[in-house]
Amino acid sequence: MNAELRVVAIADADSFVKWSAALLDAVPGISRHMLLVRTPLTVSREQEHMALAGTVFGTDSVTRLGFDELTGWLNGHLPDVVVLAGRGPFVRLVARVIDRLRRRPVVVSGLPGMSIPALRGALEYRRESDLLVLHSHREIRAFEVLADRLGLVVPMALATLPYARPASARGARGRASRGRAEGSDAVGTPRSHSGGVLVAERERRGTDLVFAAQALVPAQRHEREELACILRRAAEARPNRRVVVKLRSRPGEAETHLERDAYAELLANRPANLVLSYEPMALALARAEGLVTVSSTAAVEAIARGVPVIALDTFGVEKRLLNTVFTGSGLLAGADDVVARRFRHPDPAWMQDNYFHAPEQSEWWMRVEELVMLRRGGALPAKTVPTGRGGALRAAWHRKSVLGSEDRSLAGAVALGVGAPLVDGILGMRRARGRAGEDTWSDATTDYTLEPRPQRDPVRR
């Protein structure tokens, strides 16, 4: 293409801001901007700074605005491409705005981390996208099967998960203007390629055991208490080395998923070498001997930097824990391995199918450019959001449930009062019907599920 494409990411929650910024940071020759829409999940200024660290996004390329300002901004700037970066209901709400624009951009959406199992809601809320970006061959297969089961046609394309790129390839333009906050020089890890798979040299080694905390898993309080106990044991076993609990949000800040039984509470009384950290994951990994997680995408970031990993299997390996993706990786291990710091490096065959495919196999931006040409030529029909059952009342409930206090309409308040119990009832019935059997969370034979999440994870907080 001759002209520089104008690309805008529209986001709110922390993980989606980090993902969309890193995704677009890797695309050369485009004009980038980030719109942060005010919702209950919108990143704080500090979270924004951490999410954008190491990318070309600076204060002049980020705009905070209310939802009602979105149409005017987009009509005034006429982007060629928008990347919808938020949870499903947010994506659907913004897609309705795009339906009303005077010039329709190409609509791209995606998920901010490892997405096995493929979830029904993740696909259905993004069904109006012109392209769904996924990050591994395994994810592509899972979402294609899921789409077939649901009777949906959603174009998909493969991208390299931003955190799976070597540190030397991330944020090169950003580091030129911001210093070396996140690059390979800061981490000190040279890189090479072997058989098309990214492999990190394993000479550099830090001393911290870094635990990547997650809001959703494990879900039960007794499980989180047991995990806190494992971390205490690890700290007490090596009092001269730190155990770093890497948290996503400070008290009062929101994050993508609602956290219950926070580690800051569970670890209120802890050894001096067991510390809580809110720094960017890249900085934590720069000092890491190894990473421990149940199922965080931080494992991929660690592997890319040559940091060994333990994917904790103390609570099992099953879809509800979001850790079936590690089956066959060689990374699964238990509590005693964490305490003894017996970290692992992944199996190369697993890497090729899971996030570490050869760079030339990432096709998403080429597909985007093709779609832009088709839209400019009038050959790409708009995929508009249908009105659906419930009409205006449902639309008002959807808007209120996403925007929370930012929506001050009477219709939203009324719709929320009527709709919230109804939705809870519908989801409860679906969960009750799907506790066992094919295509559910308990079905270990598939990489997808048609059943709602077992955890209640409201957008409203």
Side-chain angles (χ1 to χ4, degrees):
M1 291 190 176
N2 295 327
E4 186 178 65
L5 293 182
R6 296 182 296 276
V7 185
V8 175
I10 305 176
D12 63 341
D14 62 329
S15 59
F16 284 97
V17 174
K18 180 178 178 180
W19 167 74
S20 58
L23 185 76
L24 295 181
D25 186 66
V27 181
I30 62 171
S31 170
R32 306 165 186 77
H33 202 83
M34 174 83 66
L35 296 181
L36 298 180
V37 180
R38 291 193 294 272
T39 77
L41 306 184
T42 303
V43 290
S44 68
R45 294 288 182 179
E46 184 62 28
Q47 285 176 308
E48 174 191 336
H49 175 75
M50 289 194 296
L52 302 181
T55 73
V56 295
F57 285 90
T59 55
D60 59 341
S61 54
V62 178
T63 299
R64 289 176 176 260
L65 75 178
F67 178 76
D68 290 335
E69 301 172 89
L70 191 54
T71 300
W73 195 98
L74 292 172
N75 274 329
H77 291 79
L78 298 176
D80 300 293
V81 181
V82 295
V83 177
L84 301 187
R87 292 181 58 179
F90 176 88
V91 168
R92 175 67 59 82
L93 187 65
V94 176
R96 292 185 185 277
V97 172
I98 291 170
D99 289 345
R100 300 192 296 269
L101 296 181
R102 59 190 178 91
R103 193 183 83 179
R104 188 179 183 88
V106 168
V107 179
V108 178
S109 63
L111 299 161
M114 298 187 297
S115 300
I116 297 291
L119 304 184
R120 176 177 188 155
L123 189 60
E124 287 190 326
Y125 275 117
R126 295 167 177 83
R127 63 193 297 177
E128 288 82 30
S129 300
D130 296 309
L131 192 68
L132 175 65
V133 173
L134 298 168
H135 299 101
S136 76
H137 294 296
R138 184 174 177 180
E139 287 185 1
I140 293 282
R141 292 195 304 271
F143 275 91
E144 284 179 344
V145 173
L146 179 60
D148 184 64
R149 293 284 285 111
L150 295 173
L152 301 178
V153 178
V154 182
M156 304 173 194
L158 183 65
T160 298
L161 189 66
Y163 325 121
R165 294 196 297 267
S168 57
R170 274 176 283 163
R173 294 175 300 280
R175 289 194 304 277
S177 59
R178 296 166 183 246
R180 295 174 174 177
E182 198 184 34
S184 61
D185 290 337
V187 177
T189 306
R191 306 287 170 175
S192 63
H193 283 82
S194 175
V197 178
L198 187 65
V199 177
E201 302 295 338
R202 298 169 183 173
E203 297 172 358
R204 190 263 318 146
R205 192 63 69 236
T207 59
D208 289 348
L209 184 160
V210 177
F211 170 67
Q214 295 169 265
L216 290 182
V217 296
Q220 301 302 315
R221 182 177 179 89
H222 70 88
E223 294 173 323
R224 296 174 82 83
E225 287 175 336
E226 183 176 352
L227 215 162
C229 181
I230 293 169
L231 296 173
R232 282 195 186 91
R233 287 173 55 201
E236 291 165 353
R238 298 292 294 272
N240 61 330
R241 293 198 172 191
R242 299 198 311 169
V243 173
V244 177
V245 181
K246 173 63 182 71
L247 302 175
R248 296 293 300 270
S249 59
R250 293 173 173 81
E253 293 179 330
E255 55 184 275
T256 303
H257 300 292
L258 178 62
E259 183 175 42
R260 300 175 177 87
D261 303 313
Y263 290 106
E265 169 202 340
L266 297 175
L267 293 168
N269 298 312
R270 57 185 184 271
N273 64 324
L274 176 51
V275 300
L276 307 181
S277 171
Y278 302 96
E279 67 185 351
M281 179 58 75
L283 296 182
L285 291 175
R287 297 186 294 270
E289 176 185 2
L291 177 91
V292 176
T293 184
V294 175
S295 60
S296 172
T297 302
V300 172
E301 192 168 353
I303 293 167
R305 294 173 175 272
V307 176
V309 172
I310 290 176
L312 189 65
D313 62 5
T314 296
F315 311 105
V317 180
E318 51 188 281
K319 286 178 180 176
R320 75 174 181 90
L321 291 164
L322 309 178
N323 62 355
T324 56
V325 67
F326 293 118
T327 301
S329 67
L331 300 176
L332 291 164
D336 290 343
D337 294 291
V338 173
V339 174
R341 299 186 175 222
R342 291 191 287 264
F343 301 106
R344 291 149 163 76
H345 290 280
D347 176 81
W350 178 87
M351 292 176 69
Q352 295 227 30
D353 203 35
N354 294 273
Y355 311 106
F356 291 92
H357 49 269
E360 60 269 18
Q361 294 175 359
S362 296
E363 58 176 344
W364 81 279
W365 185 249
M366 179 183 68
R367 294 281 301 278
V368 169
E369 290 180 317
E370 292 170 352
L371 291 170
V372 170
M373 294 298 292
L374 290 173
R375 177 132 294 158
R376 288 176 175 177
L380 181 64
K383 299 175 69 176
T384 57
V385 180
T387 302
R389 290 177 292 182
L393 186 65
R394 180 182 177 85
W397 171 83
H398 181 201
R399 174 187 165 103
K400 181 68 174 179
S401 67
V402 173
L403 299 180
S405 61
E406 289 293 320
D407 175 38
R408 299 175 178 85
S409 67
L410 177 61
V414 171
L416 189 65
V418 173
L422 182 61
V423 171
D424 286 345
I426 292 171
L427 291 177
M429 287 189 293
R430 286 182 180 175
R431 290 187 181 99
R433 287 199 304 265
R435 284 177 183 161
E438 185 180 8
D439 298 342
T440 68
W441 284 91
S442 61
D443 182 2
T445 67
T446 66
D447 268 346
Y448 67 93
T449 175
L450 300 180
E451 187 185 6
R453 280 187 182 274
Q455 310 96 337
R456 293 189 72 251
D457 186 28
V459 174
R460 279 186 302 118
R461 303 289 166 86

